[in-house]
Amino acid sequence: MNCYIGIDLGGTNLRAAIADTDTGQIFHQRKCPTLAAEGQEAVIGRMVQLIRELIQISGEPACAIKGIGIGVPGTPDIDTGVIKFLPNLPGKWLNVPLQAIIQEQVQLPAALINDVRAITLGEWPFGAGRGAETVVCLAIGTGIGGGVVVNGQFHLGIGGTAGEFGHHVVEVDGLPCGCGGRGCLELYASGPAIAAMGVKEVMHGHTTRIGELVDHDLNRIDAGVIVQAAREGDPVAMGILQRAGVYLGIAVGNILGVISPQKVIFGGGVSVAGDLLLRPIVETVNERVHVIPLQKVQFVLAELGINGGLIGAALWAKRRCDAQ
Ligand SMILES: [Zn+2]
């Protein structure tokens, strides 16, 4: 066994587990609320506590922890282990040397990676990416992230920044984005964007199951409510997922033209919509993309759920340890 700790720093929960990087098996998963509003020091303290708990119990099954991989919802500089951009988490995270802090506190090698790059690294050998040499992964949640495997190589680009699909421009003069650009995909197809479309429909007084599901409390509308209403056949909710799917399809079409992958994997919380989202994505791709042999491209849902990011973060720690 090759044991590493994989961590997923999420907006809601902090998760950690021991992963066997040879088999992709996960042991002793732990989670606690992130409570990011308490600031980064408190969050890092909780992370260290989870790591210490796991190191303590790693005797069963007997396995020495060799390192720690941390998936973060933004862009760390993978070479220095310093956080460069963490837009969706409260606190002062910019330029926090998280890798060095963790290494000092637990005396084990640590490595940072973007959370969806971690999912990509997990899904590729152990999940929906099995058997493919060139893979693109998109995770649709609070934001939209991505990762790329090209010709059997995990593609990172400068400082690990390759795969920022959420910031593909899908509207030339579109809304301003938190990244500093405008018209980015995540403003039109992320979980919050889908929820905002639902709120608008209810506010405009349209008859829809969306309002009924939350007793007309607009604050309770999230992407999950839209998906549920769509599953119940609500035409307004289905229309919202259709619109988000078209934007995703446009972005995926652009990605296909650059990467030409055998598999496109969709993960993240919003992907539980399944076919309700996949259908408009694939239809849009079929309408617009004619230079890639689409019959050779598979559009699939992620298979590992939350474990994908944990296994991927552990695999990332292994790669960094092996490289040293
Ligand atoms: Zn953007």
Side-chain angles (χ1 to χ4, degrees):
M1 279 209 306
N2 245 322
C3 291
Y4 289 80
I5 290 176
I7 294 180
D8 178 48
L9 171 57
T12 311
N13 288 309
L14 188 55
R15 290 174 198 276
I18 298 172
D20 177 0
T21 54
D22 293 340
T23 62
Q25 252 186 306
I26 286 265
F27 307 97
H28 305 299
Q29 197 184 135
R30 293 280 187 275
K31 89 172 178 183
C32 69
T34 305
L35 303 177
E38 290 184 4
Q40 80 279 7
E41 276 178 27
V43 175
I44 294 169
R46 278 188 276 281
M47 194 181 286
V48 169
Q49 204 184 328
L50 286 184
I51 295 168
R52 289 195 173 131
E53 271 178 44
L54 287 173
I55 291 172
Q56 236 172 25
I57 55 170
S58 60
E60 20 157 328
C63 187
I65 306 292
K66 295 177 181 164
I68 296 150
I70 305 166
V72 302
T75 41
D77 183 323
I78 57 166
D79 298 318
T80 60
V82 174
I83 290 184
K84 295 322 252 180
F85 184 63
L86 215 56
N88 296 323
L89 218 56
K92 295 192 179 85
W93 289 94
L94 185 67
N95 292 325
V96 169
L98 182 60
Q99 176 181 309
I101 294 171
I102 298 295
Q103 286 184 165
E104 197 191 297
Q105 299 258 343
V106 302
Q107 294 296 309
L108 278 171
L112 307 189
I113 190 160
N114 165 274
D115 54 358
V116 186
R117 250 76 90 198
I119 293 172
T120 309
L121 206 44
E123 289 283 345
W124 174 35
F126 297 123
R130 276 189 308 271
E133 287 230 306
T134 300
V135 175
V136 162
C137 179
L138 284 97
I140 308 149
T142 309
I144 296 177
V148 186
V149 175
V150 180
N151 299 334
Q153 298 286 322
F154 185 43
H155 178 69
L156 289 158
I158 301 167
T161 51
E164 286 298 324
F165 301 137
H167 301 283
H168 267 198
V169 176
V170 291
E171 283 286 358
V172 172
D173 293 312
L175 302 165
C177 178
C179 75
R182 52 171 60 236
C184 297
L185 173 65
E186 72 176 37
L187 300 168
Y188 301 92
S190 64
I194 288 169
M197 285 191 258
V199 170
K200 219 174 183 178
E201 295 285 355
V202 176
M203 279 172 71
H204 286 172
H206 293 141
T207 310
T208 157
R209 185 86 180 103
I210 298 166
E212 292 168 16
L213 284 170
V214 295
D215 293 328
H216 299 279
D217 177 356
L218 297 181
N219 293 320
R220 284 170 50 202
I221 296 176
D222 60 15
V225 171
I226 311 294
V227 171
Q228 194 184 333
R231 277 204 188 116
E232 293 178 24
D234 179 72
V236 172
M238 288 166 80
I240 289 171
L241 293 180
Q242 169 78 24
R243 246 178 293 163
V246 168
Y247 279 115
L248 283 161
I250 290 169
V252 168
N254 290 338
I255 296 165
L256 293 185
V258 180
I259 310 288
S260 193
Q262 291 137 341
K263 286 189 179 182
V264 183
I265 303 170
F266 296 92
V270 178
S271 68
V272 298
D275 265 353
L276 288 164
L277 198 62
L278 266 188
R279 202 178 311 121
I281 292 172
V282 174
E283 276 170 11
T284 306
V285 167
N286 276 305
E287 271 166 31
R288 290 172 181 250
V289 178
H290 304 286
V291 291
I292 300 286
L294 292 177
Q295 72 280 6
K296 294 187 177 169
V297 185
Q298 284 177 271
F299 300 89
V300 294
L301 294 171
E303 289 177 6
L304 302 177
I306 47 160
N307 287 352
L310 296 174
I311 297 165
L315 284 165
W316 177 242
K318 179 178 189 305
R319 280 173 175 246
R320 298 304 273 187
C321 286
D322 288 351
Q324 275 165 11

